[in-house]
Amino acid sequence: MTHLALAFLLFLDLPGDADDHSVSLAHACTGGTPACLAGEGFYKRGRTEYSPVGQTIDGKMVAAAVRGEVRERVARLAERGVDVGLATVLVGDDPASQVYVGNKQRACAEVGIRSLGHRLEASVGQAALVDLVRELGRRADVHGILVQLPLPAGLDARAVIEAIPPEKDVDGLHPLNQGRLLAGEPGLRPCTPLGVIRLLDETGVTLKGARAAVVGRSVLVGKPVALLLLERHATVTICHSRTADLGGEVGRADVVVAATGQAGLVRGTWIRPGAVVIDVGINRGPDGKLCGDVEFAPALERAARITPVPGGVGPMTVAMLLANSVSAAERALGMRAA
Ligand code: NAP
């Protein structure tokens, strides 16, 4: 297992106790100001008025609230005779993948989603794997399909994902769902980017008209985050390893999302006073501890809100997977258009 994989294991959200969901969202921003509590964004009130106070965003608490919402939606579907089902497909014996899938299954159980686990040997052929995914796609009792990535060497993940019916693609990785996101059409969105947007919403920041800098342009995180921010009418700059003046781009932003996998790449002194910072990165620092892509302590002094690592974005990913699964079931029943 790589260090990164180990770090991710530690960082993953485990479902909390049964009453986690009753925690008020109002407390999700530790030491929340009236702006946070009332859902008023600093931007809405005028940036010049805002005094940065530096507060962390409690991703575990927000994730617990999301799970609570999912549990209620699952219960409503159960009243209509629908038992929400998520199929997980795990290929091979990678220890990190086993833990991820186990966590997702436990999270499902906690909110009343039935998980159907499929475990295959690494030697399974491409055709047999695709056949299984297609079969799951045809089953009416399976509302979502999750193929744990990465797949063992020799298997074509792209072809496997394309075998998932787009309406059951709860990871939001099918090219049709990626295209729908690009086109601004309804569809299942990838979980971590959805979690980023949910955390931003919890801060009360007004995304419409805000300047957002997304550092990282991966297909899994950076690009979908940028598109979701654009969908919410932010003015988005996507930064990457060839960006000429990263500090300048970050320094102009009201909202910063860092997703690079480079510990401390985003300097705390770059952060515009009063900005909201979401740190997606999971790294191990020189001291051996988990850390994000943003230099946390100096950034905390300038940011209005900032996610810690661990305990920020990480817990949201599984929570949004659950939300996507119930959305897929609702859509199958015609309860929602998007
Ligand atoms: P990735 O595929 O490796 O992409 C990294 C991106 O960062 C690339 O676009 C790269 O630019 C950019 N980058 C790298 N070095 C840079 C630099 N010096 N300056 C500016 N940009 C730079 O990684 P990923 O999958 O997006 O993941 C990013 C981080 O998020 C990782 O730490 C990962 O573990 C974490 N993550 C966390 C969660 C969660 O649930 N919390 C979920 C997914 C990922 P180029 O395109 O130019 O190479």
Side-chain angles (χ1 to χ4, degrees), residues 13 15 67 102-113 318-319 322:
D13 177 42
R67 290 200 299 270
N103 285 343
K104 289 167 187 175
Q105 290 175 333
R106 269 194 299 281
C108 281
E110 201 229 348
V111 297
I113 293 177
V318 175
L322 303 175

Side-chain angles (χ1 to χ4, degrees), residues 1-14:
M1 195 181 340
T2 63
H3 281 237
L4 191 61
L6 186 63
F8 197 38
L9 290 188
L10 296 168
F11 193 50
L12 274 179
D13 177 42
L14 296 173

